[in-house]
Amino acid sequence: MTTQRSSHGVLVGYALWLFGFLGAHRFYYGRRISGTVYLCTLGLLGVGWILDLFLMPLLARDAAERYHEGPYRYDVAWLLLTYGGVFGLHRFYVGKIWSGLLYLCTAGLLGAGIVYDFWTMNEQVSVANREWKS
C-alpha cells in the first residue's frame, strides 16, 4: 500500500502560522487575497489568525487538490521563504541562482521581493517541477 504525499501539509501550515499575522500560511495554501488582507491587517487584528488554528486542516485539504508534487517540495520552499527569504534561500532551492544572489545582496530586494514571492511561490515551485520533468 503506497500513500501519496500531500503537496501542502498541515504541520508546515502551523509552522507558517507563527507568521500568520503576515498571512504566510494563507499564501502557502494558495489564498492570495486573504493572505494580502492578513498582511495588511496583521491577521485581521489577530482574530482571523486565531481562527485559522481550527481551519488549518480544511486549508490543507483544499491546497492538496490544487497543487501537485514533484522533486521540489512546496513545504521546503515555503519554509525557506518565510524564515530565510531575505537571504534568497527559497530562490536558490528552486534553481534561481541569480535572483537568489540578488536577494542575498539586497535583503530580499528590501522586502518587496519577499512580498512578491508570497504571491507567486506556489507557481514558482510548479514551474520548477514541470521543467524538471521535461
Side-chain angles (χ1 to χ4, degrees):
M1 179 176 170
T2 58
T3 58
Q4 186 176 0
R5 184 174 67 188
S6 174
S7 64
H8 291 70
V10 175
L11 291 177
V12 173
Y14 282 119
L16 296 174
W17 176 86
L18 295 174
F19 285 95
F21 59 93
L22 298 177
H25 64 292
R26 287 275 173 169
F27 286 112
Y28 169 65
Y29 289 126
R31 308 282 182 126
R32 292 178 177 173
I33 302 300
S34 61
T36 303
V37 170
Y38 275 45
L39 179 65
C40 295
T41 63
L42 299 177
L44 297 176
L45 300 176
V47 174
W49 186 44
I50 298 300
L51 287 175
D52 280 349
L53 275 173
F54 305 102
L55 294 176
M56 204 69 66
L58 177 65
L59 294 170
R61 186 173 43 238
D62 182 47
E65 293 172 2
R66 288 186 292 168
Y67 300 104
H68 303 286
E69 276 295 318
Y72 296 100
R73 300 207 35 207
Y74 294 91
D75 302 357
V76 173
W78 275 96
L79 288 171
L80 290 172
L81 169 59
T82 303
Y83 293 102
V86 294
F87 305 113
L89 300 177
H90 59 292
R91 292 213 160 235
F92 289 116
Y93 176 70
V94 294
K96 296 181 175 186
I97 305 302
W98 292 111
S99 61
L101 289 171
L102 182 62
Y103 274 46
L104 182 63
C105 295
T106 61
L109 298 177
L110 301 176
I114 296 169
V115 172
Y116 170 78
D117 285 342
F118 272 139
W119 266 78
T120 63
M121 183 51 59
N122 285 322
E123 286 74 22
Q124 290 180 46
V125 173
S126 290
V127 167
N129 284 336
R130 219 179 359 239
E131 288 174 356
W132 184 84
K133 288 180 182 178
S134 56

